């Protein structure tokens, strides 16, 4: 399933649906190897190893491999364009913990292969260093006075060493690339309180309100939308393909009102508003934990380029501070971003796909926080609190769930979903999600901060050596408003017997004072 239409124009590139195995947060697999964990590849789904140790597994400074830089030129198929700072030594030393984590996540990461490649890389690196040392010794000998025959012998020896070294360095480069590709399938650690199992093992943390009792036959949002002339799926299917839609009349005002109201409310809590690019480089998508290539991917890639359409503003916002060192005094950085989002929804089927509930393009307001590691759990609570306040103020009945390990995306250390009651659909539907990704994304995006406390020194002279070492920041994300599903909730929960829909009071000032959406005569 997915969007199969194609189009061409002199200045437009063809959108191509790339297929990739679906996964959670930490994992993502590129065509052959690389993967940004959970949201993309089955490698990262269930797990719950001892938290403190596992956090260290993917949080401590990575063992640095320093192979020779590849020659610039044509892209090598399957070669990663970036390298995550992964602590291979920690993974090797804590093999059992990592294996348990992979099993709980149902991620499919090949730990044994990673460890084999790591050992091979270390051995090859030692051999490279040995040959380099021998070559240096030969070079030093040639600096002195030598007989012509002896000099010629050293020249030949140096030549042979150089040729052997070039071959070994090439092999080392390929091996370290392969190690990176496989290791990136290893998912983030899991919070110790996360329930182990599939989605049905998730635990209800909080329930707000109760289902509204109707004294008349309830309609779903599709029927209400048709009667109120709010959307057109048929025309959109002809123009764009299935699962696209036109919003019309009061539905346009409702979307704009939801966005403006949500931005206003979240900004009051100290978040900086951002409107993001909606096309990003594939590597940024991967670094954030999403899979842009392969079967069942949720990502639309742009054919003939290294770019993708975003599935969430989390991706471009995460890239704002890529490859940078932040001052501790600047943390936390809180963003609230508005964007359109594009998802293939590959593999989706059933009643959950009807109408606006599951579509290929939609508007969303996303919250994103960058903070110190010791603060991320408290900021996750803050994000959940903001979500619950927003939905409560709209009068929705919902429940907040602590999601089980099998439902976590590759980057997620812990995730809470909000599911609201949708009377027309006769079930709860997910309207929001909040995740703490710890340093999974920052290790891939290269985002660090430098603590203010300098290293103690007896010298009064300030120097670079006195600075505290940098640390990877933690990232968190949460949905403030996924517009189509909010429209579903509002239409179905606020419908009246005559077919009209009441607008919740908080939204009215952002909709020109509109209080009710009523049927209009044709």
């Amino acid at each position: 399933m997915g969007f199969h239409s194609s189009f061409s124009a002199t200045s437009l590139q063809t959108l191509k649906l790339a297929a990739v195995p679906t996964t959670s947060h930490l994992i993502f697999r590129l065509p052959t190897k690389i993967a940004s964990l959970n949201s993309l590849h089955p490698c990262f789904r269930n797990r719950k190893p001892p938290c403190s140790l596992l956090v260290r597994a993917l949080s401590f400074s990575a063992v640095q491999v320093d192979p020779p830089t590849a020659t610039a030129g044509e892209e090598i198929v399957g070669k990663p364009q970036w390298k995550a700072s992964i602590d291979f030594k920690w993974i090797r030393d804590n093999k059992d913990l990592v294996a348990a984590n992979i099993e709980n996540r149902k991620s499919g990461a090949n730990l044994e292969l990673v460890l084999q490649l790591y050992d091979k890389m270390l051995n090859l690196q030692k051999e490279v260093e040995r040959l380099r040392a021998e070559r240096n010794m030969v070079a030093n000998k040639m600096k002195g006075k030598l007989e012509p025959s002896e000099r010629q012998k050293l020249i030949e020896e140096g030549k042979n060493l150089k040729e052997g070294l070039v071959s070994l360095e090439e092999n080392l480069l390929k091996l370290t690339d392969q190690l990176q590709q496989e290791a990136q399938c290893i998912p983030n650690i899991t919070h110790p309180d996360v329930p182990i199992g599939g989605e049905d093992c998730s635990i209800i943390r909080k329930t707000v309100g109760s289902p509204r009792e109707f004294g008349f036959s309830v309609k779903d949002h599709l029927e209400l939308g048709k009667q109120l002339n709010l959307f057109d799926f048929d025309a959109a299917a002809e123009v764009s393909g299935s699962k696209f839609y036109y919003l019309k009349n009061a539905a346009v005002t409702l979307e704009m009102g939801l966005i403006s109201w949500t931005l206003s409310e979240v900004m009051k809590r100290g978040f900086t508003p951002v409107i993001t690019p909606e096309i990003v480089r594939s590597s940024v998508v991967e670094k954030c934990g999403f899979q842009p290539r392969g079967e069942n991917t949720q990502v639309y890639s742009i054919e003939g380029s290294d770019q993708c359409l975003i599935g969430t503003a989390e991706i471009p916002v995460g890239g704002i501070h890529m490859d940078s060192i932040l001052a501790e005094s600047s943390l936390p950085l809180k963003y609230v971003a508005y964007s359109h989002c594009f998802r293939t929804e590959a593999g989706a089927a059933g009643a959950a796909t009807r109408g606006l509930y599951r579509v290929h393009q939609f508007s969303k307001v996303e919250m994103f926080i960058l903070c110190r590691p010791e603060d991320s759990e408290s900021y996750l609570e803050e994000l959940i609190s903001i979500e619950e306040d927003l939905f409560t103020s709209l009068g929705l009945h919902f429940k907040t769930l602590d999601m089980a390990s099998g439902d976590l995306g590759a980057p997620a250390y812990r995730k809470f979903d909000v599911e609201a009651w949708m009377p027309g659909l006769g079930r709860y539907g997910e309207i929001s999600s909040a995740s703490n990704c710890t340093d999974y994304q920052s290790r891939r995006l290269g985002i660090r901060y430098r603590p203010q406390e300098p290293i103690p020194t007896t010298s009064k002279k300030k120097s670079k050596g006195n600075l505290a070492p940098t640390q990877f920041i933690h990232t968190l994300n949460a949905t403030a408003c996924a517009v189509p599903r909010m429209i579903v909730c509002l239409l179905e929960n606020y419908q009246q017997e005559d077919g009209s829909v009441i607008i919740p009071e908080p939204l009215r000032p952002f909709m020109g004072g509109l209080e009710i959406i009523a049927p209009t005569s044709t």
Side-chain angles (χ1 to χ4, degrees):
M1 188 173 158
F3 180 53
H4 301 290
S5 303
S6 63
F7 63 92
S8 63
T10 56
S11 61
L12 295 179
Q13 301 185 68
T14 303
L15 279 177
K16 181 180 180 182
L17 175 58
V20 174
T22 302
T23 356
S24 269
H25 301 174
L26 286 184
I27 255 189
F28 60 78
R29 263 193 186 184
L30 291 190
T32 56
K33 305 173 181 176
I34 237 189
S36 159
L37 306 182
N38 250 343
S39 209
L40 315 167
H41 187 284
C43 291
F44 302 73
R45 287 227 154 184
N46 291 9
R47 59 180 189 179
K48 177 180 177 179
C51 170
S52 60
L53 289 178
L54 217 26
V55 169
R56 293 173 55 191
L58 296 174
S59 298
F60 280 15
S61 298
V63 173
Q64 297 299 315
V65 177
D66 189 22
T69 304
T71 303
E74 295 295 323
E75 177 180 347
I76 299 175
V77 177
K79 176 184 175 183
Q81 299 302 302
W82 53 274
K83 290 181 179 174
S85 185
I86 298 173
D87 192 341
F88 295 106
K89 184 177 183 299
W90 191 98
I91 293 174
R92 183 187 62 184
D93 294 345
N94 297 273
K95 175 182 175 181
D96 292 343
L97 288 176
V98 177
N101 183 52
I102 290 173
E103 173 60 27
N104 288 337
R105 289 272 194 162
K106 305 300 180 189
S107 76
N110 193 336
L111 177 60
E112 288 300 326
L113 178 56
V114 170
L115 295 177
Q116 290 173 15
L117 291 171
Y118 179 55
D119 286 340
K120 287 181 180 179
M121 183 205 69
L122 291 180
N123 291 331
L124 188 54
Q125 193 171 40
K126 289 178 182 178
E127 182 63 15
V128 167
E129 291 170 355
R130 185 185 67 79
L131 287 185
R132 285 175 180 169
E134 287 189 19
R135 186 182 62 175
N136 290 337
M137 289 176 61
V138 170
N140 288 332
K141 289 180 181 179
M142 292 182 65
K143 293 178 182 178
K145 293 182 179 182
L146 299 170
E147 293 294 329
S149 60
E150 188 176 353
R151 180 175 294 278
Q152 185 59 37
K153 181 180 178 182
L154 289 175
I155 289 174
E156 290 298 324
E157 185 178 354
K159 181 180 178 181
N160 292 335
L161 286 171
K162 180 179 179 181
E163 290 175 352
L165 189 57
V166 168
S167 177
L168 286 179
E169 287 177 337
E170 289 177 352
N171 291 337
L172 180 59
L173 182 61
K174 292 176 183 177
L175 190 59
T176 53
D177 282 345
Q178 186 182 3
L179 175 60
Q180 271 283 320
Q181 291 167 351
E182 293 296 338
Q184 286 173 31
C185 280
I186 297 176
N188 197 354
I189 53 157
T190 305
H191 190 285
D193 293 338
V194 169
I196 300 300
E199 184 178 359
D200 56 346
C201 294
S202 301
I203 299 172
I204 296 178
R205 160 180 159 140
K206 183 178 183 180
T207 300
V208 174
S210 57
R212 175 188 168 190
E213 295 184 2
F214 294 86
F216 55 88
S217 180
V218 174
K219 301 171 184 175
D220 67 14
H221 71 283
L222 279 173
E223 188 176 358
L224 289 165
K226 183 177 182 180
Q227 293 177 353
L228 297 172
N229 196 20
L230 298 181
F231 12 84
D232 191 332
F233 287 92
D234 294 335
E238 293 296 322
V239 172
S240 302
S242 63
K243 308 311 297 177
F244 287 88
Y245 58 94
Y246 285 97
L247 290 184
K248 302 191 297 182
N249 301 313
V252 175
T253 309
L254 181 55
E255 167 158 327
M256 302 307 291
L258 278 166
I259 293 167
S260 297
W261 171 74
T262 304
L263 286 171
S264 175
E265 290 299 309
V266 177
M267 286 168 62
K268 291 176 184 177
R269 292 160 166 88
F271 285 69
T272 300
V274 178
I275 293 180
T276 74
E278 292 169 1
I279 293 178
V280 298
R281 298 185 187 279
S282 299
S283 59
V284 178
V285 177
E286 295 160 9
K287 291 174 185 180
C288 289
F290 300 90
Q291 181 179 330
R293 301 286 188 272
E295 296 178 359
N296 297 324
T297 183
Q298 297 300 306
V299 179
Y300 280 108
S301 63
I302 300 178
E303 189 175 30
S305 79
D306 69 340
Q307 296 171 311
C308 300
L309 300 183
I310 65 170
T312 169
E314 168 191 347
I315 296 168
V317 175
I320 291 176
H321 299 287
M322 188 166 57
D323 299 322
S324 61
I325 298 177
L326 306 173
E328 184 177 20
S329 58
S330 70
L331 300 177
L333 291 172
K334 299 180 178 181
Y335 295 102
V336 55
Y338 163 73
S339 75
H340 293 103
C341 303
F342 305 85
R343 300 184 184 180
T344 69
E345 297 297 351
T353 66
R354 295 192 65 219
L356 291 173
Y357 189 81
R358 197 177 298 279
V359 290
H360 292 313
Q361 175 183 334
F362 59 95
S363 300
K364 183 161 70 81
V365 179
E366 184 82 359
M367 297 179 286
F368 194 89
I369 294 178
L370 303 94
C371 68
R372 300 184 307 168
E374 58 266 36
D375 299 330
S376 64
E377 291 203 49
S378 64
Y379 283 121
L380 179 60
E381 292 296 325
E382 178 180 330
L383 290 173
I384 296 169
S385 176
I386 292 173
E387 290 177 332
E388 292 176 344
D389 288 348
L390 292 173
F391 305 141
T392 298
S393 66
L394 291 178
L396 300 180
H397 163 50
F398 62 86
K399 55 185 180 180
T400 304
L401 298 96
D402 189 353
M403 302 306 293
S405 59
D407 194 65
L408 299 183
Y413 170 62
R414 196 174 195 182
K415 179 168 77 91
F416 290 88
D417 282 0
V418 174
E419 296 183 355
W421 178 247
M422 301 176 179
L425 298 181
R427 60 179 177 80
Y428 289 93
E430 180 190 340
I431 60 171
S432 182
S433 179
S435 299
N436 181 1
C437 297
T438 62
D439 64 358
Y440 173 85
Q441 293 174 325
S442 66
R443 282 181 168 272
R444 287 149 179 77
L445 291 164
I447 309 175
R448 305 170 184 253
Y449 81 98
R450 191 180 298 281
Q452 291 177 324
E453 290 297 325
I455 296 176
T457 177
T458 55
S459 173
K460 294 183 179 180
K461 184 178 179 181
K462 291 184 178 180
S463 68
K464 215 170 184 183
N466 297 338
L467 297 175
T470 59
Q471 298 180 35
F472 289 103
I473 56 95
H474 279 196
T475 62
L476 304 96
N477 64 82
T479 305
C481 180
V483 172
R485 293 189 183 180
M486 290 302 294
I487 290 178
V488 171
C489 286
L490 295 177
L491 293 182
E492 295 187 358
N493 281 286
Y494 282 96
Q495 62 181 294
Q496 306 301 302
E497 188 171 8
D498 63 359
S500 63
V501 175
I502 294 176
I503 301 298
E505 289 188 13
L507 295 180
R508 294 175 186 176
F510 297 88
M511 298 180 62
L514 184 66
E515 297 182 5
I516 189 169
I517 302 174
T520 57
S521 57
T522 55

